[in-house]
Amino acid sequence: MSTTTFSYEFNNECFKGKVSFPTGIFIDGKFSAGSDNTTIPVLNPSSGKVIASVAEGTAKDVDRAVQVARRAFETLWGFKVSAPERGKLLNKLADLVEKHSDELAALEALDNGKTFGWAKAADLDMSISTIRYYAGWADKIHGQVLETNEDKLSYTRHEPFGVVGQIIPWNFPLLMMAWKLGPALATGNCIVLKPSEFTPLTALRMCSLINEAGFPPGVVNVITGYGNTAGQAISGHMGIDKVAFTGSTLVGRKIMEASAKSNLKNVTLELGGKSPNIVFNDADLEQAVNWSSHGIYWNHGQCCCAGSRIFVQSGVYDEFLRLFTAKSQSIKLGDPFVSDSYQGPQVSEVQFNRIMDYINSGKEQGATVHLGGEQHGKDGYWIQPTIFTDTRPDMRIVKEEIFGPVAVLIKFEDEEDVIRQANDTMYGLAAAVFTKDVTRGIQLAHRLHAGTLWVNCYNVLFPNVPFGGYKQSGIGRELGEYALNNYTNVKAVHVNLGQVL
């Protein structure tokens, strides 16, 4: 069966050039059509029009990919390739991503809707640095020699699981792929990865770069497909030893259930959030406003750690609201390929409708729409930056993850009051504190129930610093040395040197 191909000519101020690459499923280093020979349409969210078709992978394709990955692990990868060689290949891949960074940023902007400028400066930059970071770890993964007694040598080994399944979201397609590939490959695992059906283009382009870098066939396999078919097949496959997922808490539960019902595979989850952003009376208001705007509107609010609950102390609430409103009004919604655009469209009609449903629920439940709250323009999936005030803790817009450019401003009186409100959530992914009192900032960072705490900044991430959630925001950690633990089993070895029975 022949595979589909994506060809597109970019001609805008940010990127000019023609791209063309296969868009089939990628198994054993080769592209092909899916087993049912069906395709998935890919839309440009700026216009709502179809721009490409990619192969639809099914459970049969996942099964074939798992068999190939297992064979590759046992014969071409895993213990068959030295750690320095794994690092060398990862560095080659990082170099190729850097070489093609403009093209990859353009693809992200095209099927995701994020601006080319942010895709290049944030997504591509951190993807490259993440792959390089884990290239450096490849030959530094080791166990310990443990003191027991003179008649025994006891030591540990950190061994790869074997075949791991990875399911990545649509909000940061390439970046999440890098976060998943880096530690899994550095530790010697083979991969079956499913990108989102909304944003598959960069993942498929990466397949050709993986081949070009020299990875053996079958080490990385990519199945484009729907969550309820290909994703479900990965989660419940008896031949997959571990699954890593980034996405909603609802789907995370389904993945844990599928793991429990199959082979009790190891699971790591990076899930949703409803992150509190706390501004005290003594904060630098100009900086607090700038960072808070970045915290909620960056990536169009489609960020799991978005600072969507903005708590402002009563002494500066009115002034903060005035400045934050002006900052929100200054955000330019526009063509993702225009250099001064900050916010593009939401990723899909499904996501657009979901956000508008939350906005309507806020209106119906009595909150005040201080700014925005409507669609922007007529074509595509654009939503105005939106600010709600006069909310109650029981409102959906206060309790639930919206995943859009929608902020709620909440007035508070003192530290105990805001700590109670901030922690009153099922989520625990991130939080932020703005204050000139560093002691207060650190103390609150220790008392807030979240995996990442920012003091006087927001949405600042580094490859060597772990990221993950408390409570229903996930299990395990991405990034840093901590992520390596997600992809290895620890084996204890006891060698008898002289004990006689």
Side-chain angles (χ1 to χ4, degrees):
M1 294 180 290
S2 61
T3 186
T4 50
T5 299
F6 174 71
S7 295
Y8 192 90
E9 186 161 2
F10 293 92
N11 186 18
N12 55 70
E13 66 174 85
C14 293
F15 179 66
K16 300 181 189 298
K18 185 174 182 178
V19 300
S20 183
F21 53 89
T23 55
I25 59 173
F26 182 73
I27 300 176
D28 205 16
K30 298 181 288 290
F31 292 94
S32 68
S35 59
D36 290 348
N37 206 27
T38 52
T39 59
I40 299 172
V42 179
L43 277 62
N44 177 351
S46 295
S47 65
K49 297 179 180 178
V50 175
I51 53 172
S53 293
V54 302
E56 179 187 1
T58 67
K60 295 177 184 176
D61 300 304
V62 170
D63 192 52
R64 183 161 67 93
V66 171
Q67 293 177 34
V68 166
R70 179 66 61 188
R71 185 177 70 245
F73 178 73
E74 293 175 354
T75 61
L76 301 172
W77 197 244
F79 302 111
K80 303 297 182 179
V81 174
S82 70
E85 180 64 16
R86 295 198 300 270
K88 183 179 178 181
L89 291 171
L90 280 166
N91 270 320
K92 284 183 179 179
L93 180 59
D95 290 342
L96 287 168
V97 174
E98 185 172 44
K99 178 181 177 181
H100 295 275
S101 58
D102 282 352
E103 175 192 346
L104 291 165
L107 292 171
E108 290 287 72
L110 186 64
D111 71 358
N112 172 276
K114 65 179 65 195
T115 64
F116 176 90
W118 273 118
K120 179 78 181 293
D123 299 51
L124 266 296
D125 182 72
M126 191 170 183
S127 295
I128 296 163
S129 59
T130 297
I131 296 170
R132 286 189 175 137
Y133 173 78
Y134 285 109
W137 266 112
D139 61 356
K140 301 172 186 65
I141 299 163
H142 55 78
Q144 298 175 321
V145 175
L146 304 167
E147 182 69 26
T148 54
N149 59 56
E150 291 302 306
D151 291 327
K152 182 180 286 186
L153 170 65
S154 299
Y155 63 94
T156 59
R157 285 165 52 89
H158 288 234
E159 299 182 350
F161 276 104
V163 178
V164 302
Q166 300 179 326
I167 304 172
I168 60 174
W170 46 256
N171 57 335
F172 294 97
L174 180 61
L175 183 57
M176 294 300 99
M177 188 178 192
W179 284 21
K180 295 289 191 290
L181 292 182
L185 293 174
T187 50
N189 292 281
C190 289
I191 295 166
V192 177
L193 181 145
K194 190 196 89 68
S196 167
E197 63 271 23
F198 293 117
T199 55
L201 295 182
T202 47
L204 292 171
R205 183 67 182 98
M206 283 286 286
C207 294
S208 297
L209 299 184
I210 288 166
N211 274 349
E212 188 176 346
F215 285 89
V219 171
V220 178
N221 306 274
V222 174
I223 306 296
T224 47
Y226 294 106
N228 62 352
T229 53
Q232 176 65 28
I234 289 173
S235 303
H237 202 287
M238 294 295 292
I240 290 179
D241 306 300
K242 182 255 177 356
V243 65
F245 169 77
T246 297
S248 71
T249 298
L250 176 64
V251 176
R253 287 194 182 97
K254 293 180 179 179
I255 287 171
M256 288 196 72
E257 181 181 8
S259 169
K261 288 182 176 179
S262 54
N263 58 345
L264 277 176
K265 58 178 62 66
N266 182 284
V267 175
T268 55
L269 305 170
E270 196 267 279
L271 306 176
K274 191 69 178 175
S275 300
N277 179 15
I278 302 168
V279 181
F280 281 96
N281 286 337
D282 69 339
D284 180 328
L285 279 193
E286 180 181 358
Q287 284 299 300
V289 165
N290 289 342
W291 283 109
S292 297
S293 174
H294 183 62
I296 181 59
Y297 298 133
W298 182 51
N299 209 47
H300 327 157
Q302 297 170 154
C303 187
C304 53
C305 55
S308 53
R309 293 186 296 152
I310 304 177
F311 294 93
V312 185
Q313 199 164 15
S314 57
V316 294
Y317 178 88
D318 291 341
E319 181 64 7
F320 180 92
L321 178 58
R322 184 185 71 81
L323 294 172
F324 186 67
T325 301
K327 181 69 175 179
S328 302
Q329 290 171 328
S330 73
I331 290 175
K332 181 179 177 181
L333 281 71
D335 184 339
F337 291 99
V338 173
S339 58
D340 63 347
S341 293
Y342 182 89
Q343 181 179 322
Q346 309 308 131
V347 73
S348 67
E349 184 177 11
V350 171
Q351 184 63 13
F352 171 87
N353 290 336
R354 182 176 183 272
I355 296 166
M356 292 306 300
D357 178 66
Y358 274 111
I359 290 173
N360 290 332
S361 78
K363 296 174 182 178
E364 292 167 0
Q365 291 187 301
T368 299
V369 181
H370 180 79
L371 182 71
E374 303 292 341
Q375 180 177 5
H376 174 79
K378 296 181 180 179
D379 297 323
Y381 314 125
W382 308 73
I383 294 178
Q384 298 170 353
T386 298
I387 302 172
F388 277 103
T389 59
D390 304 315
T391 62
R392 300 188 311 273
D394 64 333
M395 291 179 173
R396 290 179 63 209
I397 57 172
V398 177
K399 294 173 60 178
E400 300 176 20
E401 183 179 44
I402 299 173
F403 226 61
V406 182
V408 296
L409 261 65
I410 303 168
K411 186 184 297 185
F412 75 91
E413 295 299 329
D414 56 43
E415 285 187 24
E416 295 304 316
D417 174 34
V418 76
I419 290 171
R420 177 186 57 78
Q421 292 190 71
N423 287 335
D424 184 21
T425 174
M426 71 178 192
Y427 296 110
L429 190 57
V433 178
F434 287 88
T435 176
K436 291 179 181 176
D437 185 340
V438 176
T439 299
R440 168 192 274 167
I442 294 173
Q443 288 175 341
L444 259 75
H446 294 176
R447 296 185 64 188
L448 293 170
H449 302 162
T452 292
L453 267 295
W454 289 293
V455 179
N456 294 328
C457 59
Y458 209 103
N459 278 335
V460 179
L461 299 170
F462 298 94
N464 60 332
V465 180
F467 180 79
Y470 283 23
K471 297 187 279 189
Q472 295 183 41
S473 285
I475 299 170
R477 291 295 178 268
E478 306 273 6
L479 301 179
E481 182 180 0
Y482 292 86
L484 298 169
N485 297 330
N486 297 336
Y487 293 99
T488 58
N489 274 316
V490 179
K491 175 182 288 183
V493 179
H494 301 264
V495 181
N496 186 356
L497 300 178
Q499 186 177 9
V500 177
L501 284 179

